[in-house]
Every structure is written in structure tokens, then in C-alpha cells.
Coordinates of all heavy atoms in Angstrom, one line a residue:
M29 N 10.9 -20.6 14.0 CA 10.9 -19.2 14.3 C 10.3 -18.4 13.1 O 10.5 -18.7 12.0 CB 12.4 -18.7 14.5 CG 12.6 -18.1 15.8 SD 14.3 -17.6 16.0 CE 14.8 -18.6 17.3
T30 N 9.6 -17.3 13.4 CA 9.0 -16.5 12.4 C 10.2 -15.7 11.7 O 11.0 -15.2 12.4 CB 8.0 -15.5 13.0 OG1 7.0 -16.3 13.7 CG2 7.4 -14.6 12.0
K31 N 10.1 -15.6 10.4 CA 11.1 -14.9 9.7 C 10.7 -13.4 9.7 O 9.7 -13.0 9.1 CB 11.3 -15.4 8.3 CG 11.8 -16.8 8.2 CD 13.2 -16.8 8.8 CE 13.8 -18.2 8.7 NZ 15.0 -18.4 9.5
N32 N 11.5 -12.6 10.4 CA 11.2 -11.1 10.4 C 12.5 -10.5 10.0 O 13.5 -10.6 10.7 CB 10.8 -10.7 11.8 CG 10.4 -9.3 11.9 OD1 10.9 -8.4 11.2 ND2 9.6 -8.9 12.9
P33 N 12.5 -9.7 8.9 CA 13.7 -9.1 8.5 C 14.3 -8.1 9.4 O 15.5 -7.8 9.3 CB 13.3 -8.4 7.2 CG 11.8 -8.2 7.3 CD 11.3 -9.3 8.1
L34 N 13.5 -7.6 10.4 CA 14.0 -6.7 11.4 C 14.8 -7.3 12.5 O 15.4 -6.7 13.4 CB 12.9 -5.8 11.9 CG 12.1 -5.0 10.9 CD1 11.0 -4.3 11.5 CD2 13.1 -4.0 10.2
I35 N 14.7 -8.7 12.6 CA 15.3 -9.4 13.7 C 16.4 -10.2 13.2 O 16.2 -11.2 12.4 CB 14.3 -10.3 14.5 CG1 13.1 -9.4 15.0 CG2 14.9 -11.1 15.6 CD1 12.0 -10.2 15.5
N36 N 17.6 -9.9 13.5 CA 18.8 -10.6 13.1 C 19.1 -11.8 14.0 O 19.2 -11.6 15.2 CB 20.0 -9.6 13.1 CG 21.3 -10.1 12.6 OD1 21.7 -11.2 13.0 ND2 21.9 -9.4 11.7
E37 N 19.2 -12.9 13.4 CA 19.4 -14.2 14.1 C 20.7 -14.1 14.9 O 20.7 -14.6 16.1 CB 19.5 -15.4 13.1 CG 19.6 -16.7 13.8 CD 18.3 -17.1 14.6 OE1 17.2 -16.6 14.2 OE2 18.5 -17.8 15.6
T38 N 21.7 -13.5 14.4 CA 23.0 -13.4 15.2 C 22.8 -12.6 16.4 O 23.3 -12.9 17.5 CB 24.1 -12.8 14.3 OG1 24.3 -13.6 13.1 CG2 25.4 -12.7 15.0
L39 N 22.1 -11.5 16.3 CA 21.8 -10.6 17.5 C 21.0 -11.3 18.5 O 21.2 -11.2 19.7 CB 21.1 -9.3 17.0 CG 22.0 -8.4 16.2 CD1 21.1 -7.2 15.8 CD2 23.2 -7.9 16.9
L40 N 20.1 -12.2 18.1 CA 19.2 -12.9 19.0 C 20.1 -14.0 19.7 O 20.0 -14.1 20.9 CB 18.1 -13.6 18.2 CG 17.0 -14.3 19.1 CD1 16.4 -13.3 20.0 CD2 16.0 -14.9 18.2
Q41 N 21.0 -14.6 19.0 CA 21.9 -15.6 19.7 C 22.8 -14.9 20.7 O 23.1 -15.4 21.7 CB 22.8 -16.3 18.6 CG 21.9 -17.3 17.7 CD 21.2 -18.3 18.5 OE1 21.8 -18.9 19.4 NE2 20.0 -18.6 18.2
M42 N 23.3 -13.7 20.3 CA 24.1 -12.9 21.3 C 23.3 -12.5 22.5 O 23.8 -12.5 23.6 CB 24.6 -11.6 20.6 CG 25.7 -12.0 19.5 SD 26.1 -10.5 18.5 CE 26.9 -9.5 19.7
K43 N 22.0 -12.2 22.3 CA 21.1 -12.0 23.5 C 21.0 -13.2 24.4 O 21.1 -13.1 25.6 CB 19.7 -11.5 23.0 CG 18.8 -11.1 24.1 CD 17.6 -10.4 23.6 CE 16.8 -9.7 24.7 NZ 17.4 -8.5 25.2
Y44 N 20.9 -14.4 23.8 CA 20.8 -15.6 24.5 C 22.1 -15.7 25.4 O 22.0 -16.1 26.5 CB 20.7 -16.8 23.6 CG 19.4 -17.0 22.9 CD1 19.2 -18.0 22.0 CD2 18.3 -16.2 23.2 CE1 18.0 -18.2 21.3 CE2 17.0 -16.4 22.6 CZ 16.9 -17.4 21.6 OH 15.7 -17.6 21.0
A45 N 23.2 -15.5 24.7 CA 24.5 -15.6 25.4 C 24.6 -14.7 26.6 O 25.1 -15.1 27.7 CB 25.7 -15.4 24.5
R46 N 24.1 -13.4 26.5 CA 24.1 -12.5 27.6 C 23.2 -12.9 28.7 O 23.6 -12.8 29.9 CB 23.7 -11.1 27.1 CG 24.8 -10.4 26.2 CD 24.4 -8.9 25.9 NE 23.1 -8.7 25.5 CZ 22.7 -8.7 24.2 NH1 23.5 -8.9 23.3 NH2 21.4 -8.4 24.0
I47 N 22.1 -13.4 28.3 CA 21.1 -13.9 29.3 C 21.7 -15.1 30.1 O 21.6 -15.1 31.3 CB 19.8 -14.3 28.7 CG1 19.1 -13.1 28.1 CG2 18.9 -15.1 29.6 CD1 17.9 -13.4 27.2
I48 N 22.3 -16.0 29.4 CA 22.9 -17.2 30.1 C 24.1 -16.7 31.0 O 24.2 -17.2 32.1 CB 23.4 -18.2 29.0 CG1 22.2 -18.8 28.3 CG2 24.3 -19.3 29.6 CD1 22.5 -19.5 27.0
S49 N 24.9 -15.8 30.6 CA 26.0 -15.3 31.4 C 25.4 -14.6 32.6 O 25.9 -14.8 33.8 CB 26.8 -14.3 30.6 OG 27.9 -13.8 31.3
L50 N 24.4 -13.8 32.5 CA 23.8 -13.1 33.6 C 23.1 -14.1 34.6 O 23.2 -13.9 35.8 CB 22.8 -12.0 33.1 CG 22.2 -11.1 34.1 CD1 23.3 -10.4 35.0 CD2 21.3 -10.1 33.5
L51 N 22.5 -15.1 34.0 CA 21.9 -16.1 34.8 C 22.9 -16.8 35.7 O 22.7 -17.1 36.9 CB 21.1 -17.0 33.9 CG 20.2 -18.1 34.6 CD1 19.1 -17.5 35.5 CD2 19.6 -19.0 33.5
A52 N 24.0 -17.2 35.1 CA 25.1 -17.9 35.8 C 25.6 -17.0 36.9 O 25.9 -17.5 38.0 CB 26.2 -18.2 34.8
E53 N 25.8 -15.7 36.6 CA 26.3 -14.8 37.6 C 25.3 -14.6 38.8 O 25.7 -14.7 40.0 CB 26.5 -13.4 37.0 CG 27.1 -12.4 37.9 CD 27.2 -11.0 37.2 OE1 27.7 -11.0 36.0 OE2 26.9 -10.0 37.8
R54 N 24.0 -14.5 38.5 CA 23.0 -14.3 39.5 C 22.8 -15.5 40.4 O 22.6 -15.4 41.6 CB 21.7 -13.9 38.9 CG 21.6 -12.6 38.1 CD 21.2 -11.4 39.0 NE 19.9 -11.6 39.6 CZ 18.7 -11.2 39.1 NH1 18.7 -10.7 37.9 NH2 17.6 -11.4 39.8
L55 N 23.0 -16.7 39.8 CA 22.8 -18.0 40.6 C 24.1 -18.5 41.1 O 24.1 -19.5 41.8 CB 22.1 -19.0 39.7 CG 20.7 -18.7 39.3 CD1 20.2 -19.8 38.3 CD2 19.8 -18.7 40.6
N56 N 25.2 -17.9 40.7 CA 26.6 -18.3 41.1 C 26.8 -19.8 40.7 O 27.2 -20.6 41.5 CB 26.7 -18.1 42.6 CG 28.2 -18.2 43.0 OD1 29.1 -17.9 42.2 ND2 28.5 -18.6 44.3
I57 N 26.5 -20.0 39.4 CA 26.7 -21.3 38.8 C 27.6 -21.2 37.6 O 27.8 -20.1 37.1 CB 25.4 -22.0 38.5 CG1 24.5 -21.2 37.5 CG2 24.6 -22.3 39.8 CD1 23.3 -21.8 37.1
D58 N 28.0 -22.3 37.0 CA 28.8 -22.2 35.8 C 27.9 -22.0 34.6 O 26.6 -22.2 34.7 CB 29.7 -23.5 35.6 CG 28.9 -24.8 35.5 OD1 27.8 -24.8 34.9 OD2 29.4 -25.8 36.0
N59 N 28.5 -21.6 33.5 CA 27.7 -21.3 32.3 C 26.9 -22.5 31.7 O 25.8 -22.4 31.2 CB 28.5 -20.6 31.2 CG 28.8 -19.2 31.5 OD1 28.2 -18.5 32.3 ND2 29.9 -18.7 30.9
A60 N 27.5 -23.7 31.9 CA 26.9 -24.9 31.3 C 25.6 -25.2 32.1 O 24.6 -25.5 31.4 CB 27.8 -26.1 31.5
H61 N 25.6 -25.0 33.4 CA 24.3 -25.2 34.1 C 23.3 -24.1 33.8 O 22.1 -24.4 33.7 CB 24.7 -25.2 35.6 CG 23.5 -25.7 36.5 ND1 23.6 -25.7 37.8 CD2 22.3 -26.2 36.2 CE1 22.4 -26.1 38.3 NE2 21.7 -26.5 37.3
A62 N 23.8 -22.9 33.7 CA 22.9 -21.8 33.3 C 22.3 -22.0 31.9 O 21.1 -21.7 31.7 CB 23.7 -20.4 33.3
L63 N 23.1 -22.6 31.0 CA 22.6 -22.9 29.7 C 21.5 -23.9 29.7 O 20.4 -23.7 29.1 CB 23.8 -23.4 28.8 CG 23.4 -23.8 27.4 CD1 23.3 -22.6 26.5 CD2 24.6 -24.7 26.9
E64 N 21.6 -24.9 30.6 CA 20.6 -25.9 30.7 C 19.3 -25.3 31.3 O 18.2 -25.6 30.8 CB 21.1 -27.0 31.7 CG 20.2 -28.1 31.9 CD 20.8 -29.2 32.9 OE1 22.0 -29.3 33.0 OE2 20.0 -29.9 33.5
I65 N 19.5 -24.5 32.3 CA 18.3 -23.8 32.9 C 17.6 -22.9 31.9 O 16.4 -23.0 31.7 CB 18.7 -22.9 34.1 CG1 19.2 -23.8 35.3 CG2 17.6 -22.0 34.6 CD1 19.8 -23.1 36.4
F66 N 18.4 -22.2 31.1 CA 17.8 -21.3 30.1 C 17.0 -22.1 29.0 O 15.9 -21.7 28.7 CB 18.9 -20.5 29.4 CG 18.4 -19.6 28.3 CD1 17.6 -18.5 28.5 CD2 18.8 -20.0 27.0 CE1 17.2 -17.7 27.4 CE2 18.4 -19.2 25.9 CZ 17.6 -18.1 26.1
Y67 N 17.6 -23.1 28.5 CA 17.0 -23.8 27.4 C 15.8 -24.7 27.9 O 14.9 -25.0 27.1 CB 18.0 -24.7 26.6 CG 18.7 -23.9 25.6 CD1 20.1 -23.7 25.7 CD2 18.1 -23.2 24.6 CE1 20.8 -22.9 24.8 CE2 18.7 -22.4 23.7 CZ 20.1 -22.3 23.8 OH 20.8 -21.5 22.9
Q68 N 15.7 -25.0 29.2 CA 14.5 -25.7 29.7 C 13.4 -24.8 30.1 O 12.3 -25.3 30.5 CB 15.0 -26.6 30.9 CG 15.9 -27.7 30.5 CD 16.3 -28.5 31.7 OE1 16.0 -28.2 32.8 NE2 17.0 -29.6 31.4
S69 N 13.6 -23.5 30.1 CA 12.6 -22.6 30.7 C 11.5 -22.3 29.6 O 11.7 -22.3 28.4 CB 13.3 -21.3 31.1 OG 13.8 -20.5 29.9
A70 N 10.4 -22.0 30.2 CA 9.3 -21.5 29.4 C 9.6 -20.1 28.8 O 9.1 -19.8 27.7 CB 8.0 -21.4 30.2
T71 N 10.4 -19.4 29.5 CA 10.8 -18.1 29.0 C 11.6 -18.2 27.7 O 11.3 -17.4 26.8 CB 11.7 -17.3 30.1 OG1 10.9 -17.2 31.3 CG2 12.1 -16.0 29.6
H72 N 12.4 -19.2 27.6 CA 13.2 -19.4 26.4 C 12.2 -19.8 25.3 O 12.3 -19.3 24.1 CB 14.2 -20.5 26.5 CG 14.8 -21.0 25.2 ND1 14.4 -22.1 24.6 CD2 15.7 -20.4 24.4 CE1 15.0 -22.2 23.4 NE2 15.8 -21.2 23.3
K73 N 11.2 -20.6 25.6 CA 10.2 -21.0 24.5 C 9.5 -19.8 24.0 O 9.3 -19.6 22.9 CB 9.3 -22.1 25.1 CG 10.0 -23.4 25.3 CD 9.0 -24.4 25.9 CE 9.7 -25.7 26.2 NZ 10.7 -25.7 27.2
S74 N 9.1 -18.9 25.0 CA 8.4 -17.7 24.6 C 9.3 -16.8 23.8 O 8.9 -16.1 22.9 CB 7.9 -17.0 25.8 OG 6.8 -17.7 26.4
L75 N 10.6 -16.7 24.2 CA 11.5 -15.8 23.6 C 11.8 -16.3 22.1 O 12.0 -15.5 21.2 CB 12.8 -15.8 24.4 CG 14.0 -14.9 24.0 CD1 13.5 -13.4 24.0 CD2 15.1 -15.1 24.9
S76 N 11.8 -17.6 21.9 CA 12.0 -18.2 20.6 C 10.9 -17.9 19.6 O 11.1 -17.9 18.4 CB 12.2 -19.7 20.7 OG 13.3 -20.0 21.5
N77 N 9.7 -17.6 20.2 CA 8.6 -17.2 19.3 C 8.6 -15.7 19.1 O 8.2 -15.0 20.0 CB 7.3 -17.7 20.0 CG 6.1 -17.3 19.1 OD1 6.2 -16.6 18.1 ND2 4.9 -17.8 19.5
L78 N 9.2 -15.3 18.0 CA 9.4 -13.8 17.8 C 8.1 -13.0 17.8 O 8.1 -11.8 17.9 CB 10.3 -13.6 16.6 CG 11.6 -14.3 16.7 CD1 12.4 -14.0 15.4 CD2 12.4 -13.8 17.9
E79 N 7.0 -13.7 17.5 CA 5.7 -13.0 17.5 C 5.4 -12.4 18.9 O 4.6 -11.5 19.0 CB 4.6 -13.9 17.0 CG 4.8 -14.2 15.5 CD 3.8 -15.2 15.0 OE1 2.9 -15.7 15.8 OE2 3.9 -15.5 13.8
N80 N 6.0 -13.0 19.9 CA 5.7 -12.5 21.3 C 6.4 -11.2 21.6 O 6.1 -10.5 22.6 CB 6.1 -13.6 22.3 CG 5.3 -14.8 22.3 OD1 4.1 -14.8 21.9 ND2 5.8 -15.9 22.7
N81 N 7.4 -10.9 20.8 CA 8.2 -9.7 21.0 C 8.9 -9.6 22.3 O 9.3 -8.6 22.8 CB 7.4 -8.4 20.8 CG 6.9 -8.2 19.4 OD1 7.8 -8.3 18.4 ND2 5.7 -7.9 19.1
L82 N 9.1 -10.8 22.9 CA 9.8 -10.8 24.2 C 11.3 -10.5 24.0 O 12.0 -10.0 24.9 CB 9.7 -12.3 24.8 CG 10.0 -12.4 26.2 CD1 9.1 -11.5 27.1 CD2 9.7 -13.9 26.7
H83 N 11.8 -10.7 22.8 CA 13.2 -10.3 22.5 C 13.5 -8.8 22.7 O 14.6 -8.4 22.8 CB 13.6 -10.8 21.1 CG 12.7 -10.2 20.0 ND1 11.5 -10.7 19.7 CD2 12.9 -9.1 19.3 CE1 11.0 -9.9 18.8 NE2 11.8 -8.9 18.5
N84 N 12.5 -8.0 22.8 CA 12.6 -6.6 23.0 C 12.8 -6.2 24.4 O 13.2 -5.1 24.7 CB 11.4 -5.8 22.4 CG 11.3 -5.9 20.9 OD1 12.3 -5.9 20.2 ND2 10.1 -6.0 20.4
M85 N 12.6 -7.2 25.3 CA 12.8 -6.9 26.8 C 14.3 -7.0 27.1 O 15.1 -7.6 26.4 CB 12.0 -7.9 27.6 CG 10.5 -8.0 27.3 SD 9.7 -6.4 27.3 CE 9.6 -6.2 29.1
S86 N 14.6 -6.3 28.2 CA 16.0 -6.3 28.6 C 16.5 -7.7 29.1 O 15.7 -8.5 29.5 CB 16.3 -5.3 29.7 OG 15.8 -5.7 30.9
D87 N 17.8 -7.9 29.0 CA 18.4 -9.1 29.4 C 18.1 -9.4 30.9 O 17.7 -10.5 31.3 CB 19.9 -9.1 29.2 CG 20.3 -8.9 27.8 OD1 19.5 -9.1 26.9 OD2 21.5 -8.6 27.5
A88 N 18.2 -8.3 31.7 CA 17.9 -8.4 33.2 C 16.5 -8.8 33.4 O 16.2 -9.6 34.3 CB 18.3 -7.1 33.9
Y89 N 15.6 -8.2 32.7 CA 14.2 -8.6 32.8 C 13.9 -10.1 32.5 O 13.2 -10.8 33.2 CB 13.3 -7.7 31.9 CG 11.8 -8.2 31.9 CD1 11.0 -7.7 32.8 CD2 11.4 -9.1 30.9 CE1 9.6 -8.1 32.8 CE2 10.1 -9.5 30.9 CZ 9.2 -9.0 31.8 OH 7.9 -9.4 31.8
L90 N 14.5 -10.6 31.4 CA 14.4 -12.0 31.0 C 15.0 -12.9 32.1 O 14.4 -14.0 32.4 CB 14.9 -12.2 29.6 CG 14.2 -11.4 28.6 CD1 14.9 -11.4 27.2 CD2 12.8 -12.0 28.4
V91 N 16.1 -12.5 32.6 CA 16.7 -13.3 33.7 C 15.8 -13.4 34.9 O 15.6 -14.4 35.5 CB 18.1 -12.8 34.1 CG1 18.6 -13.5 35.4 CG2 19.1 -13.1 32.9
D92 N 15.2 -12.2 35.3 CA 14.3 -12.2 36.4 C 13.1 -13.1 36.1 O 12.6 -13.8 37.0 CB 13.8 -10.8 36.6 CG 14.8 -9.9 37.3 OD1 15.8 -10.4 37.8 OD2 14.6 -8.6 37.2
E93 N 12.6 -13.1 34.9 CA 11.5 -14.0 34.5 C 11.9 -15.5 34.7 O 11.1 -16.3 35.2 CB 11.0 -13.8 33.1 CG 10.3 -12.5 32.9 CD 9.0 -12.5 33.7 OE1 8.2 -13.4 33.5 OE2 8.8 -11.5 34.4
I94 N 13.1 -15.8 34.2 CA 13.5 -17.2 34.4 C 13.6 -17.6 35.9 O 13.2 -18.7 36.3 CB 14.9 -17.4 33.7 CG1 14.7 -17.3 32.1 CG2 15.5 -18.8 34.0 CD1 16.0 -17.2 31.4
L95 N 14.2 -16.7 36.7 CA 14.3 -16.9 38.1 C 12.9 -17.1 38.8 O 12.7 -17.9 39.6 CB 15.1 -15.9 38.8 CG 16.6 -15.8 38.4 CD1 17.3 -14.6 39.0 CD2 17.3 -17.1 38.7
L96 N 12.0 -16.2 38.4 CA 10.6 -16.4 38.9 C 10.0 -17.7 38.5 O 9.4 -18.4 39.4 CB 9.7 -15.2 38.4 CG 9.9 -13.9 39.1 CD1 9.1 -12.8 38.3 CD2 9.5 -13.9 40.5
E97 N 10.2 -18.1 37.3 CA 9.7 -19.3 36.8 C 10.3 -20.5 37.6 O 9.6 -21.4 38.0 CB 10.0 -19.5 35.3 CG 9.7 -20.7 34.7 CD 10.1 -20.8 33.2 OE1 10.4 -19.8 32.6 OE2 10.3 -21.9 32.8
K98 N 11.6 -20.4 37.8 CA 12.3 -21.4 38.6 C 11.8 -21.5 40.0 O 11.6 -22.6 40.5 CB 13.8 -21.1 38.6 CG 14.7 -22.1 39.2 CD 16.2 -21.7 39.1 CE 17.1 -22.6 39.8 NZ 16.9 -22.8 41.2
D99 N 11.6 -20.4 40.6 CA 11.1 -20.4 42.0 C 9.6 -20.9 42.0 O 9.3 -21.7 42.9 CB 11.1 -19.0 42.6 CG 12.5 -18.5 43.0 OD1 13.4 -19.4 43.1 OD2 12.6 -17.3 43.1
N100 N 8.8 -20.6 41.0 CA 7.5 -21.1 41.0 C 7.4 -22.6 40.7 O 6.5 -23.3 41.3 CB 6.7 -20.3 39.9 CG 6.3 -18.9 40.4 OD1 6.4 -18.6 41.5 ND2 6.1 -18.1 39.4
N101 N 8.3 -23.1 40.0 CA 8.3 -24.5 39.6 C 8.9 -25.4 40.7 O 8.7 -26.6 40.8 CB 9.0 -24.8 38.3 CG 8.2 -24.3 37.2 OD1 7.0 -24.1 37.2 ND2 8.9 -24.0 36.1
K102 N 9.8 -24.7 41.5 CA 10.5 -25.4 42.6 C 11.2 -26.7 42.1 O 11.2 -27.7 42.8 CB 9.6 -25.8 43.8 CG 8.9 -24.6 44.4 CD 9.8 -23.9 45.3 CE 9.1 -22.8 46.0 NZ 9.8 -21.6 46.2
S103 N 11.6 -26.6 40.9 CA 12.3 -27.8 40.3 C 13.7 -27.8 40.6 O 14.3 -26.8 41.1 CB 12.0 -27.8 38.8 OG 12.7 -26.7 38.2
S104 N 14.4 -28.9 40.2 CA 15.8 -29.0 40.6 C 16.7 -28.7 39.3 O 17.5 -29.5 38.9 CB 16.1 -30.4 41.1 OG 15.7 -31.4 40.0
Y105 N 16.5 -27.6 38.8 CA 17.3 -27.2 37.6 C 18.7 -27.6 38.0 O 19.7 -27.5 37.7 CB 17.2 -25.7 37.3 CG 16.0 -25.3 36.6 CD1 15.0 -24.6 37.3 CD2 15.7 -25.6 35.3 CE1 13.8 -24.2 36.7 CE2 14.6 -25.2 34.7 CZ 13.6 -24.5 35.4 OH 12.5 -24.1 34.8

């Protein structure tokens, strides 16, 4: 991850937790399964690269991106 003094690692981890929780709610699955989906997603990979500034997007937007990616991949998350 790029070291940017304006981006607090703790806040980023809290954002991940909110995304995972919202993903679980939207898919009606448990948090463990949502965690797996999140960490396997290309959205997570992009979010982890702070140069993309994807961390500035809303949690709901990022969940929508993960769901679109999931639908496009038709994989068995």
C-alpha cells in the first residue's frame, strides 16, 4: 500500500468492515461469507491501491461495484 499521511490505516480497515457488513446484508449471507467475497474481489484489489482513490467512494457505491463484478463473473462466491 502507498504510504499517504492523509489516509489512516485504521479508518481504512473500518471502511472494509462497513463494506463487508453491508455486503452481507445486501446478499442476506453471514459476515464470514461476505468477507470472502470482499477479499476475492477486484474491487478490493483496487481499493487496496490507495493511488486509485477508490477509498473516497461511499461504502454503498463500493458494495454495488462488488455486486456488479459478482454478477459479471457469474462465479460461485
Side-chain angles (χ1 to χ4, degrees):
M29 238 183 240
T30 303
K31 295 295 179 190
N32 183 332
L34 300 177
I35 301 168
N36 183 308
E37 185 66 30
T38 301
L39 293 177
L40 190 58
Q41 292 299 319
M42 290 171 63
K43 184 169 193 72
Y44 290 172
R46 290 190 311 269
I47 292 167
I48 292 162
S49 179
L50 185 56
L51 185 60
E53 182 181 318
R54 295 269 301 271
L55 292 175
N56 196 26
I57 58 175
D58 62 36
N59 283 340
H61 192 187
L63 179 73
E64 183 180 334
I65 293 170
F66 174 71
Y67 280 117
Q68 290 178 357
S69 70
T71 301
H72 170 258
K73 288 176 185 66
S74 292
L75 185 59
S76 297
N77 182 353
L78 299 179
E79 292 175 358
N80 292 336
N81 290 315
L82 198 57
H83 59 278
N84 292 324
M85 304 307 286
S86 74
D87 300 342
Y89 173 86
L90 293 168
V91 168
D92 286 344
E93 286 297 307
I94 293 168
L95 293 175
L96 284 172
E97 177 185 337
K98 184 178 178 300
D99 286 343
N100 288 338
N101 289 339
K102 301 286 187 213
S103 64
S104 60
Y105 285 109

